[in-house]
Amino acid sequence: MTKEQSPTTPETVGPRPRRLTYAAVLTALEGVGLAVGGVWVLVLGLTGDPDDRQQAVTLGVTLVALALLPLLAARGLFALRSWSRGPSIITQILALPVAYSLLQADSIAIPAGIAIAAIAIATLVFLVNPATTEALGIRGPGNAPDQK
């Protein structure tokens, strides 16, 4: 692998910007939230009296599996890996419709919708920040190195 393909070699890695650290922490928080929610649904599906036990177990397992994406992305952001920004951005984009649907409910879910929306928007802002993209070695359009 050449230096152009792997811009985060030990010689080129600088200090991690705080915004990148914040994005990694918020992405990890979302992953932990998904994992905890998945385990909670799974336990309730197995020990409680759900309407459809199979559906509850499937939802719990799915949430735990979905938690892997933001957790792996957060680990990559902490390690300054350029590939990790994409999965983290995807996680934030997927969180926005969830937040919107929670905000439409007339229940206790509204504060959860506000929290999810705030975390997703803040993380998106941190991820597209120029200092973050530079630290991850991501070049913008038209800034690719000349290839001979």
Side-chain angles (χ1 to χ4, degrees):
M1 196 175 255
T2 65
K3 283 189 179 183
E4 289 82 23
Q5 293 171 330
S6 179
T8 56
T9 58
E11 305 88 43
T12 61
V13 174
R16 183 183 318 119
R18 276 191 288 185
R19 289 183 176 127
L20 181 56
T21 304
Y22 297 155
V25 168
L26 291 174
T27 302
L29 179 67
E30 289 171 330
V32 169
L34 278 170
V36 168
V39 169
W40 182 62
V41 169
L42 188 61
V43 168
L44 285 179
L46 292 173
T47 62
D49 189 25
D51 292 337
D52 185 359
R53 185 175 310 276
Q54 183 179 2
Q55 187 177 16
V57 170
T58 302
L59 176 62
V61 170
T62 302
L63 287 175
V64 170
L66 285 175
L68 292 176
L69 180 68
L71 290 173
L72 290 172
R75 185 172 186 258
L77 290 172
F78 275 121
L80 297 174
R81 303 288 185 233
S82 61
W83 61 263
S84 61
R85 190 175 87 147
S88 184
I89 287 175
I90 290 169
T91 300
Q92 309 322 311
I93 292 171
L94 292 174
L96 291 173
V98 172
Y100 180 77
S101 67
L102 291 174
L103 290 171
Q104 299 303 309
D106 282 333
S107 68
I108 193 77
I110 292 174
I114 292 169
I116 291 171
I119 289 171
I121 291 169
T123 306
L124 280 171
V125 169
F126 292 144
L127 289 170
V128 299
N129 184 278
T132 299
T133 56
E134 183 180 327
L136 292 173
I138 298 172
R139 296 180 185 94
N143 293 333
D146 293 333
Q147 296 184 1
K148 298 177 183 176

